[in-house]
Amino acid sequence: MSATTRRSLLAGAAGLTGAALATSIVTAQRATAADTGAGWLNVTDTAYGALGDDKADDAPAIQKAIDAAGQGGTVYLPPGRYRLASPLRLKLGVTLRGDWNPHFPVRTNMTASYLRPGIGNFTGEALIVVDPAPARGTYADSAYGGGPRLYGLALDGRGQTAATGTAIDGVRITPGVKDVGMDKVTIWRFSGHGLNAQNAAAFQLNQVHAVDNDGHGFTWGDAAGTGGGLVDADLFQCYSQGNQGHGYDILNPNAVTFVDCRSEWNARHGYHITGINYSMVMIGCNTDRNGRDGFHLATSAGGRFLQLLGCLAKRDGKETATSLIPYSGFTVTGESAEGVVLTGCSTSTGRDDDNTGAHSPAYGITTSALNSAGNVSVVGGEYVGTTAPFQDLGAVVVRHSGVISGTHGAAGIEWDKHDVHMISGAAGTPRDLEFWSRGKNRRWTLRTTDATESGTGDGSDFALVRHSDDGTVLDTPLKVGRASGRISLTTPGMTVDASASPGVHLVQSRPSGQGYAVTAADPASRAFQSQVTGDSVNRFAMEINGTQTYGPGGGTGRDTTWGRLGTAQIGSPDADIVVGLAGKGIKVKEGTNAKMGTVTLNGTTPVTVPTTAVTASSRIFLTIQSPAGTPSGVAYVASRTPGTSFTVKGMPADTSTVAWLIMEPA
């Protein structure tokens, strides 16, 4: 109230009765409200005639003020109960302004200040309709003269339908509208959607509340079927609660940012995002006790860049107990999930506020029906479900360090205490963890290779890759085949610096399995060698053909050889064979075609010893094993047939048992 108005009012107050004085004060206050801003039009001024008494149809009066205001003008609604029989329609850059909107309308019941549809006599699709500004034909002028704003409004649908029986939206943004601002607007209990925006763009919404509506709280679709949706939009601290549809229903988001928005106790999903996700960021957004998923992201091919930072899904999936569908805090599904990143997000389980109902959700994160070229990157956060923290049906979740998960069972939450860092990529592509020198290039790579997977446990082998100073690949020193688990080393050599014994211990658990197998490049290759620290010459070496050489070490060469000397021959070409322990010696197997055995003499009659081991140059040694008959102590080789047998004779009446041994000259 200006000073001039106040003085005029006080000057005449003495001659007024109490009722007249009160009427004068209210009139002065309304006039003052109209004068508080240049270009403000007060709908209760006599020029427009709105009453705000919840009886008269105030729609014509308010519409008259809207039509009279130009771009930048403000149509002001003082506190009152404005009943409307038809929608208020805005298309130019007019601000429709009140002074009050409740955050939780059910607690205040909007008893004294609101706009609402008439009971049984409303005709129209929404209480407030925003139409496109006159088109100028170019994109730059596509909202020429437009830019409507809604501020400080309380809209109460009271569950009313139109006279035709159709549902009524709180606010309807028609296709083609661009540049809409809403600040501190509450939309309560409409039979349709709270805010219904079809194929429109350029939104700025701040503290807009959609509560207890029969449709979605907020919906951005494409009634024209032209692939539109939500484009160029910023939502700050908006709130959707208790709606029978989704809290937020969003199609084809492009250049969209949600900050500190909430979606609670809606019958369906908290945030329902479908179509091609071109680019969308959600920061610090929350859900609580929605009937289905907290965040439901059903993406289509062709989109990217959906990032959620610090978002919390709390107690969602309330419907799981009755529908038997296992809902999640976060669900990512559709044809593609390229660029979906959850950073520092979390889920929590719980029941209703009065501690009744079942705990939910079933899963912290669910993915399904996604192609392998995309991935859902999870960085940090805490994920809990009543069934499991993760249901990765799409096999695309990439968990990074710092992700905590648990399962809420009958005894409480059982936490998975191990840390996981996942590197995921499409089948047939390498998946790398690279190590660089700062300011230079890569030096090493841990890689899952692009080896083809056939579905039988093969492909995607593991490899350690070595790089040169310029980052190019030098070699792959180590590979592990996924099908066999076999380790392959391709290196100039390997050093094991063991501080415990044994330095290398191979345990072969496979029956009849091999311990070590060496494949050489040529016959001159060496299979094994050993030495003592300080030796310049190996003390022991085994060549690839099995020949072993021995030496004293130091700088002295090896002087003793043991190995294959020929067909079925083993021995040393340069050393004596010494049995150096008393009680030990050489044992020779006897039997058919042996080189050692016994024969019984028959006096001077030759006794044949059959053996293929005898040769023309064989040295045959005889000795009396057991005397018998008339022992003479004499026995000799009488004849031989190489490769067949030899004969032995004794003295008359000598039947002693004679031991024989065949040896060959070297």
Side-chain angles (χ1 to χ4, degrees):
M1 185 182 298
S2 67
T4 301
T5 304
R6 185 181 297 108
R7 283 195 298 270
S8 300
L9 178 63
L10 293 176
L16 295 175
T17 63
L21 177 59
T23 301
S24 298
I25 292 175
V26 170
T27 302
Q29 286 177 335
R30 286 181 174 176
T32 300
D35 293 338
T36 56
W40 284 35
L41 305 179
N42 190 325
V43 298
T44 60
D45 281 356
T46 55
Y48 311 111
L51 298 178
D53 60 359
D54 202 21
K55 296 178 181 179
D57 177 13
D58 285 327
I62 299 173
Q63 189 66 51
K64 184 177 181 181
I66 292 172
D67 295 341
Q71 187 178 47
T74 297
V75 174
Y76 176 66
L77 289 83
R81 296 171 292 174
Y82 299 93
R83 179 184 291 192
L84 311 177
S86 58
L88 301 178
R89 308 193 78 97
L90 292 85
K91 63 181 179 180
L92 300 178
V94 175
T95 297
L96 189 62
R97 180 186 179 103
D99 281 331
W100 182 77
N101 78 301
H103 183 75
F104 294 106
V106 70
R107 299 178 185 178
T108 64
N109 207 37
M110 289 189 186
T111 57
S113 187
Y114 49 78
L115 287 88
R116 72 173 182 87
I119 299 176
N121 67 345
F122 184 85
T123 302
E125 67 273 32
L127 193 65
I128 298 176
V129 178
V130 179
D131 293 316
R136 280 294 189 97
T138 65
Y139 178 81
D141 292 336
S142 57
Y144 187 86
R149 300 290 184 263
L150 305 178
Y151 180 89
L153 300 176
L155 312 182
D156 183 0
R158 299 199 179 184
Q160 292 298 304
T161 58
T164 59
T166 59
I168 303 171
D169 295 334
V171 178
R172 172 76 64 87
I173 313 294
T174 58
V177 171
K178 295 179 174 62
D179 192 1
V180 177
M182 298 176 64
D183 190 359
K184 295 179 176 60
V185 176
T186 297
I187 308 169
W188 183 34
R189 58 183 182 181
F190 280 83
S191 56
H193 305 301
L195 170 64
N196 184 354
Q198 297 291 320
N199 200 16
F203 288 84
Q204 285 192 332
L205 274 59
N206 180 58
Q207 296 184 11
V208 178
H209 306 152
V211 181
D212 294 341
N213 299 291
D214 290 344
H216 305 309
F218 300 78
T219 180
W220 285 271
D222 181 15
T226 57
L230 180 58
V231 180
D232 294 333
D234 300 298
L235 278 72
F236 301 94
Q237 296 184 340
C238 293
Y239 182 59
S240 186
Q241 182 194 38
N243 301 288
Q244 294 305 301
H246 306 305
Y248 300 82
D249 178 49
I250 304 165
L251 174 68
N252 299 336
N254 190 356
V256 174
T257 301
F258 276 48
V259 178
D260 196 19
C261 294
R262 296 168 60 187
S263 188
E264 302 177 351
W265 293 89
N266 299 289
R268 300 176 72 180
H269 301 306
Y271 299 88
H272 181 237
I273 303 170
T274 59
I276 301 175
N277 179 69
Y278 295 100
S279 60
M280 182 173 183
V281 178
M282 305 181 74
I283 303 172
C285 295
N286 300 293
T287 66
D288 187 18
R289 210 55 174 155
N290 294 288
R292 300 182 181 178
D293 296 329
F295 296 79
H296 185 90
L297 318 173
T299 61
S300 297
R304 295 185 66 191
F305 307 126
L306 177 55
Q307 301 200 31
L308 285 71
L309 288 79
C311 295
L312 173 63
K314 178 183 177 184
R315 302 189 299 177
D316 296 305
K318 175 180 169 65
E319 187 183 304
T320 295
T322 55
S323 69
L324 302 182
I325 298 175
Y327 291 109
S328 304
F330 298 85
T331 288
V332 183
T333 184
E335 299 176 28
S336 176
E338 298 179 41
V340 177
V341 180
L342 282 70
T343 303
C345 298
S346 297
T347 62
S348 64
T349 54
R351 307 169 72 184
D352 293 343
D353 290 345
D354 59 2
N355 209 31
T356 61
H359 285 91
S360 61
Y363 299 99
I365 297 177
T366 289
T367 71
S368 64
L370 300 169
N371 64 41
S372 64
N375 64 74
V376 179
S377 180
V378 181
V379 184
E382 183 176 291
Y383 295 89
V384 182
T386 58
T387 301
F390 301 99
Q391 183 183 219
D392 190 16
L393 301 179
V396 295
V397 168
V398 181
R399 290 172 59 185
H400 300 277
S401 184
V403 175
I404 302 171
S405 61
T407 302
H408 192 147
I413 298 176
E414 181 178 348
W415 295 104
D416 181 354
K417 297 181 180 180
H418 80 284
D419 198 9
V420 174
H421 187 104
M422 299 172 61
I423 300 175
S424 178
T429 61
R431 281 129 290 172
D432 291 353
L433 177 61
E434 295 184 346
F435 299 87
W436 292 55
S437 292
R438 192 179 302 278
K440 297 183 180 179
N441 217 311
R442 64 179 63 83
R443 293 294 182 258
W444 294 92
T445 297
L446 289 176
R447 169 172 294 172
T448 301
T449 70
D450 57 1
T452 302
E453 298 180 12
S454 67
T456 57
D458 60 356
S460 294
D461 299 330
F462 182 77
L464 173 64
V465 182
R466 186 168 64 110
H467 299 272
S468 64
D469 284 352
D470 63 2
T472 57
V473 175
L474 286 174
D475 52 33
T476 305
L478 181 145
K479 285 185 178 179
V480 184
R482 195 168 71 92
S484 63
R486 188 175 293 277
I487 299 174
S488 300
L489 298 176
T490 306
T491 71
M494 181 174 68
T495 300
V496 178
D497 186 357
S499 60
S501 181
V504 177
H505 182 198
L506 173 64
V507 177
Q508 173 59 268
S509 59
R510 178 181 177 181
S512 302
Q514 296 176 338
Y516 294 92
V518 180
T519 301
D522 56 48
S525 299
R526 179 164 293 171
F528 181 81
Q529 62 186 31
S530 63
Q531 64 190 60
V532 174
T533 301
D535 287 347
S536 60
V537 177
N538 304 123
R539 298 186 177 221
F540 171 75
M542 178 182 289
E543 309 305 323
I544 198 63
N545 65 359
T547 299
Q548 302 171 39
T549 55
Y550 306 81
T556 304
R558 294 182 299 279
D559 54 19
T560 304
T561 305
W562 178 267
R564 182 177 182 272
L565 300 180
T567 303
Q569 294 182 8
I570 190 169
S572 175
D574 54 15
D576 294 329
I577 297 176
V578 178
V579 179
L581 180 63
K584 302 298 180 182
I586 298 174
K587 294 183 178 181
V588 180
K589 178 69 174 178
E590 297 182 352
T592 303
N593 297 323
K595 284 203 170 187
M596 187 174 76
T598 60
V599 63
T600 301
L601 298 176
N602 187 16
T604 59
T605 302
V607 180
T608 300
V609 179
T611 176
T612 59
V614 68
T615 69
S617 59
S618 293
R619 308 304 191 246
I620 304 174
F621 299 90
L622 304 175
T623 185
I624 302 300
Q625 181 77 17
S626 299
T630 306
S632 63
V634 176
Y636 61 96
V637 176
S639 66
R640 74 180 69 192
T641 303
T644 301
S645 64
F646 65 90
T647 63
V648 178
K649 286 184 178 183
M651 294 293 103
D654 192 348
T655 58
S656 298
T657 299
V658 175
W660 55 269
L661 174 66
I662 299 174
M663 300 188 70
E664 301 293 332

